[in-house]
Amino acid sequence: MRISWFFKEAIISLKRNWVMSMAAISTVALSLLVLGLFAFVALTLDDLITSFERQVEIEVFLKDEAPFQEVQALQEKIISWKEVKNVKYVSKEEALRKFKEKYKDNPEMIEAIPGNPLPASFQISLKNPKNVVRVAKRLEGRKEIDEVKYGQQVVEKLFAVTKVVRMIGLLFILLLGFASLSLIVITIRLAIFARRNEVSIMRLVGASNWFIRLPFLLEGMGQGLIGAIIAIILIHFTRVTFFEKIAKSLSFLPISFGFDLFLKLSASLIVAGLCIGALGSSIALRRFLKV
Amino acid sequence: MRISWFFKEAIISLKRNWVMSMAAISTVALSLLVLGLFAFVALTLDDLITSFERQVEIEVFLKDEAPFQEVQALQEKIISWKEVKNVKYVSKEEALRKFKEKYKDNPEMIEAIPGNPLPASFQISLKNPKNVVRVAKRLEGRKEIDEVKYGQQVVEKLFAVTKVVRMIGLLFILLLGFASLSLIVITIRLAIFARRNEVSIMRLVGASNWFIRLPFLLEGMGQGLIGAIIAIILIHFTRVTFFEKIAKSLSFLPISFGFDLFLKLSASLIVAGLCIGALGSSIALRRFLKV
Amino acid sequence: MIKMRNVTKYYPNHSEPALAEINVDVEKGEFIFLVGPSGSGKTTFIRLLLREILPTTGEIYVAGIDVLHLRPWKVPYLRRNIGCVFQDFKLLPNKTAEENVAFALEVLGRSQHVIREQVPEILKLVGLESQGHKFPSELSGGEQQRISIARALVNHPPILLADEPTGNLDPATSLELMALFDRINKMGTTVLVATHNREMVDSMRKRVIALENGRIVRDQVRGVYGYED
Amino acid sequence: MIKMRNVTKYYPNHSEPALAEINVDVEKGEFIFLVGPSGSGKTTFIRLLLREILPTTGEIYVAGIDVLHLRPWKVPYLRRNIGCVFQDFKLLPNKTAEENVAFALEVLGRSQHVIREQVPEILKLVGLESQGHKFPSELSGGEQQRISIARALVNHPPILLADEPTGNLDPATSLELMALFDRINKMGTTVLVATHNREMVDSMRKRVIALENGRIVRDQVRGVYGYED
Ligand SMILES: Nc1ncnc2c1ncn2[C@@H]1O[C@H](COP(=O)(O)OP(=O)(O)OP(=O)(O)O)[C@@H](O)[C@H]1O
Ligand SMILES: Nc1ncnc2c1ncn2[C@@H]1O[C@H](COP(=O)(O)OP(=O)(O)OP(=O)(O)O)[C@@H](O)[C@H]1O
Ligand SMILES: [Mg+2]
Ligand SMILES: [Mg+2]
């Protein structure tokens, strides 16, 4: 019964201090909207980057004179390494077919090739592309192997770029998170500051700190919750109207602004809204509840 | 003298309503910090994307039998087109040299090539890469020309991606701009709402609307200005400690978080701060200045 | 100076009128006490004259101005003709006592020179020459009330409205201030005081308008507080 | 019930003490008038008893509690023993009159049942049974004051402090309320009333403590308001 009274107080106060409630709710909604949308895009981008990184492969050219059994044994060995995801064997014939395909506009040149000078090769893909150098080093110098190629320069550049993209993304998520938190706390503080007389009056008629704090806390959480729900609705709307079109127009990329991610994000936003609302009102009240 | 009085009033009020001023200033600073940093990164990224797009070229393979004068005439003609930035002639010999370079690990194959089967070509770079299809179409079917290549698929994908990146960037800038504006207006409104009694008292002792509004307006602009300056300082700090390191680690890309851009950004932020501050207090006051 | 014709005021969402069918004529230079039990409509009467609120029906003229049909932007000019002591003081909380009084002069565009001269003078008149630098929250109830009086008087308005101006003052100070009001009135200012102070009304023998339940029940030249019956 | 020993109160940044060397003993069940000119320290006296402020030096005991050394979290329990009518009413602006009165009961954890019974009763006692649903801003000055009185009385506290409780009330209502205070006092409540109302003090002949410039200048059993000399 007492608890229901506190809830009733919080709801009445939410309604009667409508201007301040509106301000707090809008602030929560706007902050979480920006944060949520950015996180949504950033997480999708992260998936995309990961799929790019996965495409990094090691090409191992085999000596023509290596016997087939040894090559097969090598393939099995490589597959057994824990870093390796897959090993694909490209025979000499396949290599030639690819070469001919590439220069099909230049028949003179293809005709000029005597026999098949191209070597057979392995194409090795890794579980974590970061290990590419280590695996490549391990392969070099084996007697069956003529040359190991993994586009050292390109791979290093790719990783440098993905690292920076991830860093900037993280920086912005942290910054947006911090800014959202601060802005919401500031707004709720201001709203409670405007009511500091009320707080001091309540104290003067004998209300204990918790008796005063609880309705404010519930009110803050209510504002946070409503704001988060508004943000989620807007994000959903953006997702349906905007992101899905983008995913379609970039269908050649493994991009998906997925519903799963959206659900996880929504849950996080609701928790964030509730916590920030509670935090904001607690911080704001602390100053006015001294003695 | 009257004007100086209004300034004095605004400054005194800024100081005496310290909690509210702090709230407004922090809100401006945080909002503009996020907006400014994002715009900074987005504009840099835009430059980078543009430089990628510029790398799109048209390769025109010439017939071996085309006489040298005609080829030269064609080159001059192409250069004269307004879409074209540069035309580079690659002779048969140069093409062969490049081919040999590429297959230098495979001497058998190079040796096997009789004479020089590779054609001469033009490499055409455009002022605006969007015109690549149009220019390519215009070249196709000419008698001196054997084949026109511009990696249609890659170009289309590239443009699809850059378009989406730009769109998302713009979306976020607009969203951040809107959110910043709203959040600042909300905070200033709330701060003035908390002082609505003051406004009504001023009216009751005969103050005209402008007499009340001017100090609030100046106060809002002051808060906006201080907030913007704080944001600029923080952006500068981030630029020096973070972005310049990034630019170094990506030295292989034409990336620069330049001082020029920073200056332009700072000027925009200051103007934005002043305007939003003025706007916020005007909107907030309008409600309390009726009758 | 003040004319009310059939003025009725209903507050929104309340069925009882706060004032009903009020007809009053006040000449320039009169001194009037407005009396009546708590909730009888005295403050409402004053708020109507200040155009803080508008009547539901009826006509009001103050200093020759048709209050009802006044353009909103002209309202400040009406109010500059009226000095008002509010029942709840209505001091600006972020200005010191001095600044609160000075504000009434700044609104009129008076020069700093004039302000620096007149403000200490009026503070002395209400006995607060040493408290000018305090903020309202640092003043006692009676001191706040006297600052409110000082602000109403400082620009020598032709009309002075005072709502319970001595509710927080001791009898000696109250009498002094009433003597001050009387002096100002003798110099030509029209004075209207809403009050519960029987002693004061009975001793001064001015015109008394008595309200009850929003209606005028008595309008008496050289009247007394009444109501002991 | 109330004991003050050498209590002196300086407000921060002000060189004059608001109260100086106050020694007072009040027994349970006494009725005391606190009088003195505006600014003499009456409100400061009451704020000290409520522990709204702390004295600069001295000791204060209220209802057996050492106010100075009271732990902050125990302050509400002290205040629940004291009903207080504030000079500026201190009503919660976002609660209706009824809710303001009910709040004093809710603070004590009284059941809704009790609240629904006692609140209308006390509103009737102060003559506001029909105004309970209004917000403070919709009440007249005197009505607000009576709501403040109702809130102070509703939980039958052992101590009643009243700061200028009749400043906005007409003489008839004032006398009624004083009779109410007297009745409550007879039932055992200790009552302390700070007032400027000479009529009331003189007619009731209770103990009078007179302050001047923060010092006690008179402490008289069955005293009068004084100060006409
Ligand atoms: N804003 C409002 N909304 C609704 N009712 C109101 C409002 N203001 C005043 N009232 C009601 O109108 C009536 C007259 O109020 P008013 O303030 O004029 O009385 P008053 O004569 O000044 O009383 P007091 O002597 O107590 O100050 C009261 O019953 C009051 O409750
Ligand atoms: N917060 C404060 N800061 C500084 N001075 C204060 C503060 N509060 C009160 N004072 C000063 O202390 C003195 C006593 O104030 P107090 O409110 O106790 O007077 P009072 O007897 O209640 O007067 P009144 O009858 O006018 O209400 C006054 O001169 C006042 O200016
Ligand atoms: Mg009134
Ligand atoms: Mg007092």
Side-chain angles (χ1 to χ4, degrees):
Chain A
M1 199 223 95
R2 296 305 286 157
I3 277 296
S4 76
W5 182 81
F6 285 112
F7 271 100
K8 215 187 73 198
E9 281 288 290
I11 291 169
I12 289 179
S13 170
L14 206 72
K15 279 194 229 155
R16 289 198 185 151
N17 298 292
W18 186 231
V19 173
M20 294 167 201
S21 298
M22 272 293 294
I25 290 172
S26 319
T27 303
V28 174
L30 278 169
S31 307
L32 293 188
L33 172 67
V34 173
L35 177 62
L37 275 185
F38 191 84
F40 200 34
V41 170
L43 291 173
T44 303
L45 188 64
D46 185 56
D47 276 357
L48 188 65
I49 287 177
T50 305
S51 81
F52 278 143
E53 287 176 345
R54 279 202 210 300
Q55 287 173 22
V56 170
E57 289 189 338
I58 302 176
E59 249 187 328
V60 175
F61 293 101
L62 301 166
K63 287 191 180 135
D64 278 1
E65 60 271 25
F68 188 66
Q69 288 95 318
E70 272 177 37
V71 168
Q72 247 181 341
L74 183 61
Q75 183 174 16
E76 264 154 36
K77 181 164 196 176
I78 296 175
I79 284 183
S80 76
W81 291 346
K82 64 179 191 305
E83 296 98 335
V84 173
K85 199 169 75 184
N86 195 21
V87 179
K88 197 181 148 212
Y89 177 71
V90 180
S91 66
K92 282 179 73 71
E93 294 71 41
E94 227 175 319
L96 184 64
R97 205 163 31 71
K98 278 188 187 163
F99 180 84
K100 282 184 178 162
E101 176 77 12
K102 194 169 168 191
Y103 286 92
K104 68 171 188 286
D105 296 331
N106 221 336
E108 292 168 54
M109 203 166 90
I110 293 170
E111 277 155 24
I113 292 177
N116 186 354
L118 295 169
S121 64
F122 287 146
Q123 274 170 17
I124 306 174
S125 59
L126 301 179
K127 281 175 191 145
N128 183 348
K130 295 261 148 82
N131 295 321
V132 72
V133 180
R134 175 138 49 104
V135 174
K137 285 269 167 331
R138 203 182 298 158
L139 288 164
E140 262 163 20
R142 279 186 164 269
K143 66 175 191 307
E144 307 90 344
I145 293 174
D146 187 32
E147 194 188 2
V148 178
K149 255 194 187 167
Y150 61 93
Q152 174 134 29
Q153 277 203 328
V154 174
V155 168
E156 271 170 9
K157 281 183 192 170
L158 177 68
F159 286 148
V161 170
T162 58
K163 190 175 151 201
V164 164
V165 171
R166 286 207 170 96
M167 239 163 72
I168 292 185
L170 193 69
L171 170 84
F172 272 109
I173 287 190
L174 289 180
L175 185 66
L176 282 172
F178 171 76
S180 302
L181 184 75
S182 308
L183 290 169
I184 296 170
V185 170
I186 287 172
T187 310
I188 294 185
R189 277 190 68 166
L190 205 52
I192 293 184
F193 180 80
R195 294 167 67 188
R196 64 195 178 287
N197 281 334
E198 276 180 65
V199 174
S200 72
I201 293 172
M202 289 180 183
R203 288 188 55 80
L204 282 177
V205 275
S208 66
N209 283 354
W210 267 108
F211 192 86
I212 299 172
R213 194 180 280 136
L214 209 53
F216 276 103
L217 209 71
L218 292 174
E219 198 181 333
M221 288 172 78
Q223 292 163 348
L225 181 66
I226 297 174
I229 290 173
I230 293 174
I232 289 170
I233 292 172
L234 291 176
I235 291 174
H236 172 75
F237 190 71
T238 317
R239 192 178 74 87
V240 172
T241 60
F242 187 70
F243 288 145
E244 294 203 333
K245 276 200 191 123
I246 283 181
K248 240 173 245 165
S249 85
L250 296 185
S251 53
F252 53 89
L253 290 178
I255 211 171
S256 80
F257 294 91
F259 193 67
D260 260 26
L261 185 60
F262 172 70
L263 279 187
K264 269 184 224 153
L265 197 71
S266 301
S268 314
L269 289 184
I270 285 196
V271 172
L274 285 172
C275 292
I276 303 180
L279 190 75
S281 47
S282 308
I283 292 180
L285 275 175
R286 226 177 29 194
R287 285 192 50 199
F288 308 121
L289 286 180
K290 287 204 185 114
V291 179
Chain B
M1 197 222 98
R2 295 304 288 159
I3 277 296
S4 76
W5 182 81
F6 285 113
F7 271 100
K8 216 188 72 199
E9 281 287 290
I11 291 169
I12 290 178
S13 171
L14 208 72
K15 279 195 229 154
R16 289 198 185 149
N17 297 292
W18 186 232
V19 174
M20 293 168 202
S21 298
M22 271 293 295
I25 290 173
S26 320
T27 303
V28 175
L30 277 169
S31 307
L32 293 189
L33 172 67
V34 173
L35 177 62
L37 275 183
F38 190 85
F40 200 35
V41 170
L43 290 174
T44 303
L45 187 65
D46 186 55
D47 276 356
L48 188 66
I49 287 177
T50 306
S51 81
F52 278 142
E53 288 176 344
R54 281 203 208 300
Q55 287 173 21
V56 171
E57 289 190 338
I58 303 176
E59 251 187 328
V60 175
F61 294 102
L62 300 166
K63 287 191 179 132
D64 279 0
E65 61 271 24
F68 188 65
Q69 288 96 316
E70 272 178 34
V71 168
Q72 247 181 342
L74 181 61
Q75 183 174 17
E76 264 154 38
K77 181 162 194 178
I78 296 175
I79 285 184
S80 74
W81 291 348
K82 62 179 193 302
E83 297 98 334
V84 173
K85 200 169 75 185
N86 194 21
V87 179
K88 197 181 147 214
Y89 177 71
V90 180
S91 66
K92 284 178 73 74
E93 294 71 41
E94 227 175 318
L96 184 64
R97 207 163 31 73
K98 279 189 187 161
F99 180 84
K100 283 184 178 161
E101 176 74 13
K102 194 169 167 192
Y103 286 92
K104 68 173 188 286
D105 297 331
N106 221 335
E108 292 169 57
M109 205 164 87
I110 292 171
E111 277 157 25
I113 292 178
N116 184 355
L118 295 169
S121 64
F122 288 148
Q123 275 169 19
I124 305 174
S125 59
L126 300 179
K127 282 175 191 146
N128 183 348
K130 297 259 149 84
N131 295 322
V132 71
V133 180
R134 176 139 48 105
V135 174
K137 286 267 167 331
R138 204 182 297 159
L139 288 164
E140 263 166 16
R142 279 188 162 267
K143 66 176 192 308
E144 306 90 342
I145 294 176
D146 188 31
E147 194 187 3
V148 178
K149 256 194 186 169
Y150 60 93
Q152 174 134 29
Q153 277 202 330
V154 174
V155 169
E156 271 170 9
K157 281 182 189 168
L158 177 69
F159 285 150
V161 170
T162 57
K163 190 175 151 201
V164 163
V165 171
R166 286 207 171 96
M167 239 162 72
I168 291 185
L170 193 68
L171 170 84
F172 272 109
I173 288 191
L174 290 180
L175 185 66
L176 282 172
F178 171 75
S180 302
L181 184 75
S182 309
L183 290 169
I184 296 170
V185 170
I186 287 172
T187 311
I188 294 185
R189 277 188 70 163
L190 205 51
I192 293 183
F193 181 80
R195 293 167 66 189
R196 63 195 179 287
N197 280 334
E198 276 179 65
V199 174
S200 73
I201 293 172
M202 289 179 183
R203 288 188 54 80
L204 282 177
V205 274
S208 65
N209 283 354
W210 267 107
F211 192 86
I212 299 171
R213 195 180 279 136
L214 208 53
F216 275 104
L217 210 71
L218 292 174
E219 197 181 334
M221 289 172 78
Q223 292 163 348
L225 182 65
I226 298 175
I229 289 174
I230 293 174
I232 289 171
I233 292 173
L234 292 174
I235 291 175
H236 172 75
F237 190 71
T238 316
R239 193 179 72 88
V240 172
T241 59
F242 186 71
F243 288 144
E244 294 202 334
K245 274 200 193 123
I246 283 181
K248 238 172 248 165
S249 86
L250 296 185
S251 54
F252 53 87
L253 289 178
I255 211 170
S256 79
F257 293 92
F259 193 66
D260 260 25
L261 185 59
F262 172 68
L263 281 187
K264 269 184 225 154
L265 198 72
S266 302
S268 314
L269 289 183
I270 287 195
V271 173
L274 286 172
C275 292
I276 303 181
L279 191 73
S281 45
S282 307
I283 292 180
L285 276 175
R286 224 177 29 194
R287 286 192 49 198
F288 308 122
L289 286 180
K290 287 205 185 112
V291 181
Chain C
M1 208 61 175
I2 296 172
K3 198 159 81 174
M4 285 195 174
R5 286 287 166 271
N6 296 316
V7 169
T8 300
K9 173 67 188 176
Y10 285 89
Y11 282 107
N13 304 325
H14 291 99
S15 53
E16 298 276 292
L19 282 180
E21 294 294 327
I22 300 291
N23 284 287
V24 166
D25 281 279
V26 176
E27 297 303 316
K28 185 163 159 39
E30 274 196 274
F31 192 122
I32 296 174
F33 282 116
L34 192 61
V35 303
S38 173
S40 57
K42 302 181 294 297
T43 301
T44 305
F45 189 100
I46 288 176
R47 293 175 76 196
L48 283 171
L49 296 180
L50 262 180
R51 203 188 190 276
E52 190 182 345
I53 51 176
L54 289 171
T56 314
T57 60
E59 286 166 40
I60 302 175
Y61 299 87
V62 176
I65 298 170
D66 180 351
V67 171
L68 256 79
H69 300 104
L70 196 63
R71 300 257 180 73
W73 66 269
K74 276 192 175 164
V75 172
Y77 299 95
L78 165 70
R79 291 180 182 158
R80 287 177 203 169
N81 285 320
I82 306 174
C84 188
V85 184
F86 298 94
Q87 192 170 11
D88 52 357
F89 318 147
K90 292 205 192 296
L91 301 177
L92 295 166
N94 283 312
K95 289 187 184 297
T96 62
E98 274 164 0
E99 290 168 351
N100 263 285
V101 176
F103 191 77
L105 291 173
E106 270 145 8
V107 154
L108 294 176
R110 294 280 184 276
S111 72
Q112 289 301 308
H113 173 72
V114 171
I115 291 172
R116 265 196 293 275
E117 196 172 281
Q118 296 197 338
V119 171
E121 213 169 82
I122 195 89
L123 284 182
K124 194 162 179 203
L125 219 54
V126 297
L128 291 176
E129 57 273 41
S130 64
Q131 313 275 12
H133 60 285
K134 287 187 179 176
F135 286 95
S137 63
E138 299 171 342
L139 292 170
S140 82
E143 288 163 351
Q144 289 178 42
Q145 191 153 44
R146 282 178 282 163
I147 294 295
S148 186
I149 294 172
R151 180 180 61 185
L153 297 180
V154 70
N155 57 6
H156 306 295
I159 303 176
L160 176 67
L161 306 177
D163 197 355
E164 201 75 61
T166 59
N168 290 277
L169 295 174
D170 49 295
T173 313
S174 300
L175 284 181
E176 263 172 47
L177 283 169
M178 273 306 134
L180 175 62
F181 282 14
D182 203 21
R183 262 201 329 277
I184 289 168
N185 172 243
K186 296 251 157 65
M187 285 157 62
T189 303
T190 310
V191 179
L192 186 145
V193 180
T195 187
H196 292 304
N197 195 325
R198 183 207 310 261
E199 244 177 294
M200 206 165 67
V201 178
D202 287 355
S203 70
M204 289 184 68
R205 306 306 300 262
K206 303 283 184 182
R207 177 174 168 192
V208 173
I209 298 176
L211 289 172
E212 237 169 74
N213 291 321
R215 286 168 200 280
I216 295 181
V217 293
R218 180 158 55 98
D219 187 346
Q220 196 175 15
V221 188
R222 297 183 57 74
V224 293
Y225 186 82
Y227 292 115
E228 35 237 299
D229 29 318
Chain D
M1 207 61 173
I2 298 172
K3 198 159 81 174
M4 285 194 174
R5 285 287 166 272
N6 295 317
V7 169
T8 300
K9 173 67 189 176
Y10 285 89
Y11 282 107
N13 304 325
H14 290 99
S15 54
E16 299 276 292
L19 283 178
E21 294 294 327
I22 300 291
N23 284 287
V24 166
D25 281 281
V26 177
E27 296 304 315
K28 184 163 158 42
E30 273 195 276
F31 193 123
I32 296 174
F33 282 116
L34 192 62
V35 302
S38 173
S40 56
K42 302 180 295 298
T43 301
T44 305
F45 190 101
I46 287 175
R47 293 175 76 195
L48 283 170
L49 296 180
L50 261 182
R51 203 186 189 277
E52 190 183 345
I53 53 175
L54 289 171
T56 314
T57 60
E59 285 167 40
I60 302 175
Y61 299 88
V62 176
I65 298 170
D66 180 350
V67 171
L68 256 78
H69 300 105
L70 196 62
R71 302 258 179 71
W73 66 270
K74 275 190 174 167
V75 171
Y77 299 95
L78 166 69
R79 291 181 181 158
R80 288 176 202 171
N81 285 320
I82 306 175
C84 188
V85 184
F86 298 93
Q87 193 169 12
D88 53 356
F89 319 147
K90 292 204 193 296
L91 301 177
L92 295 167
N94 282 312
K95 289 190 184 294
T96 62
E98 274 163 0
E99 289 168 352
N100 262 285
V101 176
F103 191 79
L105 291 173
E106 268 144 9
V107 155
L108 294 176
R110 295 280 183 274
S111 72
Q112 289 302 309
H113 172 72
V114 171
I115 291 172
R116 264 197 293 277
E117 195 171 282
Q118 295 197 341
V119 170
E121 214 168 81
I122 196 90
L123 285 181
K124 194 161 178 204
L125 218 53
V126 297
L128 290 177
E129 58 272 42
S130 65
Q131 313 277 9
H133 60 285
K134 288 188 180 176
F135 287 96
S137 63
E138 300 172 341
L139 293 170
S140 82
E143 287 163 351
Q144 288 179 43
Q145 192 153 42
R146 282 178 282 163
I147 294 295
S148 186
I149 294 173
R151 181 179 60 186
L153 298 179
V154 71
N155 57 7
H156 306 295
I159 301 176
L160 177 66
L161 306 177
D163 197 354
E164 201 75 63
T166 60
N168 290 277
L169 295 174
D170 49 294
T173 314
S174 300
L175 284 181
E176 264 172 48
L177 284 169
M178 272 305 135
L180 176 63
F181 281 15
D182 202 23
R183 261 202 328 277
I184 290 167
N185 172 244
K186 296 249 157 65
M187 285 156 61
T189 304
T190 310
V191 178
L192 186 144
V193 180
T195 188
H196 293 303
N197 195 326
R198 184 208 308 262
E199 245 178 294
M200 205 165 67
V201 179
D202 287 356
S203 70
M204 290 183 68
R205 305 305 301 261
K206 302 285 183 181
R207 177 174 166 191
V208 172
I209 298 176
L211 290 172
E212 238 168 74
N213 291 321
R215 287 167 201 280
I216 294 182
V217 293
R218 182 158 53 99
D219 187 346
Q220 197 175 13
V221 188
R222 297 184 56 74
V224 293
Y225 185 82
Y227 291 114
E228 36 236 298
D229 26 319

